[in-house]
Amino acid sequence: MGSFFKECEHPESRWSKCPHEYKIRYRNAAGRQTEESGFATQDKAKTRLAEAYHTRKNSPQSQRKAERLQKYGGMNFSDYVAAWLKGQRDLGPASLRNLDSLLRIHLLPAFGSRRMGTFDHKVVEAFIQDMERNGIGLATQANAFMSLKAILLDAHRLGLYEDSPLDGVKAPQYDPKRAVIPSVSQLQQIRTAGDDTFRLVTDLMSGCGLRNGEAYAVNINNIVADDVYRVTEQVNQATRSYARLKHRKIGEYRDVPLPAIG
């Protein structure tokens, strides 16, 4: 409901006798923390707290929150996630495939039957510790945590938690090693390591600066000048079909230099 206190040098046991006024602290109807002062007695402070509590409880916003709590708070994690996934329309096939794997292997086994209203920072922290004990790689730990974070933040926005269950949780720290560019001699060995298709792809990747999916999508029609190739699409690893470039909108492209012949 809230709290009352004094900001003076007297201990709490002397508040009823000291002349300083009481202050109160509570969350208003909008959910924001509020302070009021000027209460001569403890009873007046308590009365005002009770008024603020009833105002908040009976506000339309609180009623809607109570309805959401009733609907979603008792829902188990697996059902909530199934509904949440329908709203992830901006994710591409590869991202959805990765998310599905994280849910199936890590999140649903850990939380599938847990009621959504029971999550707090201790539950999330225990999940991270379990992954550490089970020897899960840091990259997977970080990805699983980020997926869980997105789901719980969605629930927090619905009002299922007064405080976010992620507050104070230390996320897994994944620090990928610096990419290493192969030397000329190493590149020569790579180019001769496979069949003709492999050599063609490695030549396109090293010569034009293409990602592997972009190299597989190369076609002669995208040569826009003798020394320029226009990258407009890539082969999607998940669907094995042509798709827009990663991190670019449909219709966007980039021009790359063609290597000199000979």
Side-chain angles (χ1 to χ4, degrees):
M1 185 171 71
S3 60
F4 60 89
F5 57 95
K6 288 190 175 185
E7 292 180 336
C8 64
E9 70 278 8
H10 297 107
E12 185 175 351
S13 59
R14 295 289 307 278
W15 283 356
S16 62
K17 296 179 180 180
C18 81
H20 300 97
E21 295 179 332
Y22 283 91
K23 288 186 175 182
I24 62 173
R25 183 181 293 125
Y26 61 92
R27 291 189 181 275
N28 62 22
R32 298 187 181 90
Q33 185 166 280
T34 304
E35 284 191 7
E36 294 182 17
S37 60
F39 301 96
T41 66
Q42 189 177 118
D43 287 340
K44 290 182 178 180
K46 289 181 177 179
T47 298
R48 175 59 187 135
L49 280 174
E51 291 174 353
Y53 171 75
H54 289 298
T55 299
R56 181 185 179 193
K57 183 178 180 180
N58 296 322
S59 69
Q61 184 174 352
S62 293
Q63 293 293 334
R64 291 192 295 270
K65 180 179 178 181
E67 291 171 0
R68 292 195 298 270
L69 277 170
Q70 183 177 10
K71 179 178 180 180
Y72 297 108
M75 183 181 290
N76 64 42
F77 182 81
S78 60
D79 290 340
Y80 188 90
V81 167
W84 173 79
L85 279 171
K86 295 177 181 178
Q88 308 309 302
R89 295 182 296 274
D90 58 327
L91 296 181
S95 297
L96 284 173
R97 180 183 179 186
N98 183 54
L99 177 58
D100 177 72
S101 176
L102 292 168
L103 287 168
R104 177 170 42 82
I105 298 174
H106 301 286
L107 297 182
L108 290 177
F111 304 119
S113 62
R114 174 177 285 275
R115 296 192 305 276
M116 289 300 299
T118 65
F119 278 91
D120 58 23
H121 70 282
K122 290 184 178 180
V123 174
V124 178
E125 185 64 44
F127 172 64
I128 296 173
Q129 292 174 3
D130 283 344
M131 289 195 293
E132 292 173 348
R133 282 193 295 270
N134 293 330
I136 305 299
L138 276 175
T140 302
Q141 286 187 38
N143 288 332
F145 172 77
M146 291 304 295
S147 298
L148 179 61
K149 178 179 179 180
I151 296 165
L152 294 182
L153 285 178
D154 183 77
H156 184 43
R157 285 191 291 269
L158 279 175
L160 267 64
Y161 317 108
E162 287 291 340
D163 300 307
S164 171
L166 300 161
D167 288 348
V169 175
K170 185 177 180 181
Q173 299 298 311
Y174 173 55
D175 185 17
K177 294 181 179 179
R178 184 178 178 181
V180 177
I181 300 175
S183 65
V184 174
S185 61
Q186 288 173 328
L187 183 57
Q188 290 174 344
Q189 294 179 38
I190 292 172
R191 283 173 167 169
T192 58
D195 58 16
D196 291 343
T197 301
F198 179 81
R199 288 195 293 273
L200 175 60
V201 171
T202 55
D203 282 344
L204 288 168
M205 291 176 65
S206 61
C208 301
L210 303 179
R211 299 182 177 92
N212 55 0
E214 296 169 347
Y216 278 107
V218 163
N219 66 84
I220 196 170
N221 295 325
N222 281 11
I223 299 176
V224 297
D226 290 343
D227 57 350
V228 178
Y229 180 80
R230 177 159 293 176
V231 188
T232 61
E233 57 190 353
Q234 67 177 25
V235 173
N236 185 284
Q237 179 183 0
T239 63
R240 299 190 180 278
S241 60
Y242 291 102
R244 63 179 174 83
L245 295 179
K246 191 174 183 180
H247 306 309
R248 292 180 184 265
K249 297 178 181 178
I250 295 175
E252 291 185 341
Y253 63 86
R254 78 176 193 277
D255 288 344
V256 297
L258 284 169
I261 298 174

